[in-house]
Amino acid sequence: MLALMSTAKPSFLEIDNDKFKTIMKISNEDTVEQKKDRTGNDEDSSKTLQLLRIKGYPRLLPEGIQALVNYCRYLQELSLSYSLLSDELLFALSSEKQVQLETLRLEVQPETKPLPRVSEKAWFTFSNHLPNINLVLLSYMTNEDDQRPLFAPYVPITHLYFGEAPSEATVLRIGYQCPRLVELVIAAYGPGLLDHALLSIAQGCPRLSAIGLGDCEITCSGLLEFVTLCAKRLRILYVWETSLTEDSELDVTKVSKNISLLLGRTWVPEYIPLC
């Protein structure tokens, strides 16, 4: 279901309440004192850290994250809960010229409500400072009102993963609010067909090149129309065979053949065995 997310990544450092304190100490004067870890690595070891995932530290201040990002000059990916996001953090990440951040990964869980409000100015400043940033959003929210603050034209979402079934209104909003979208994964969707929403995304997201559809319902004709619009840029197309609904015009065999011709390579939907 989330095979589209299975990419090779460098080893990362899991941060919890205790481990964060062993890596660095932030004083009131915002100075940083490097601490040796239990493996005996020297000071330079943390400076080569490439991926940092922060979990279980809800009271961590933006200054703390900025100090660590600032110290680890080679940091390329920062992964944290959406609950830690703030104007102050985005402004902090935008204030240092030496930051080489390539990916900001945000995870939204229902228990993090209420979600922090991040201003248009903060996102605009962040996007200008890091114009090629990969902003990855993994959402487990299901309520439409909860998801509304996550999507706006000024939020530079490039990779969007729905771990739970989003509402129709939320999926329709993607085509209007996420012009930078490159990759979309929908684990589940319904009730109702995904055809209309998917075509809206194809038209409103000119950079979309990878899509994964799990437990949903889409007609063979609807999928073919979507691929026709995106064929020149579509690199990854992952669709469950059980999600395809045959219609009067196309069955699974015919749509697979037509899509293969459009993509210039053999394509078939993913076989999902029935339990």
Side-chain angles (χ1 to χ4, degrees), residues 217-260:
E217 186 177 358
I218 180 171
T219 64
C220 290
S221 296
L223 180 62
L224 181 60
E225 188 175 355
F226 168 80
V227 175
T228 301
L229 291 173
C230 303
K232 293 182 179 180
R233 51 189 162 95
L234 201 59
R235 296 182 298 101
I236 299 175
L237 177 63
Y238 179 98
V239 182
W240 283 10
E241 184 179 19
T242 53
S243 296
L244 286 175
T245 300
E246 298 182 344
D247 50 48
S248 58
E249 299 180 13
L250 291 171
D251 57 20
V252 173
T253 301
K254 289 181 180 179
V255 77
S256 298
K257 181 179 179 180
N258 289 342
I259 289 177
S260 296

Side-chain angles (χ1 to χ4, degrees), residues 26 44 66 75 77-78 87 94 143 145 150 163 179 181 193:
I26 304 173
D44 291 334
Q66 183 213 2
L75 188 67
E77 180 171 335
L78 176 62
D87 281 15
S94 306
N143 185 279
D145 292 335
L150 304 176
L181 193 65
L193 291 172

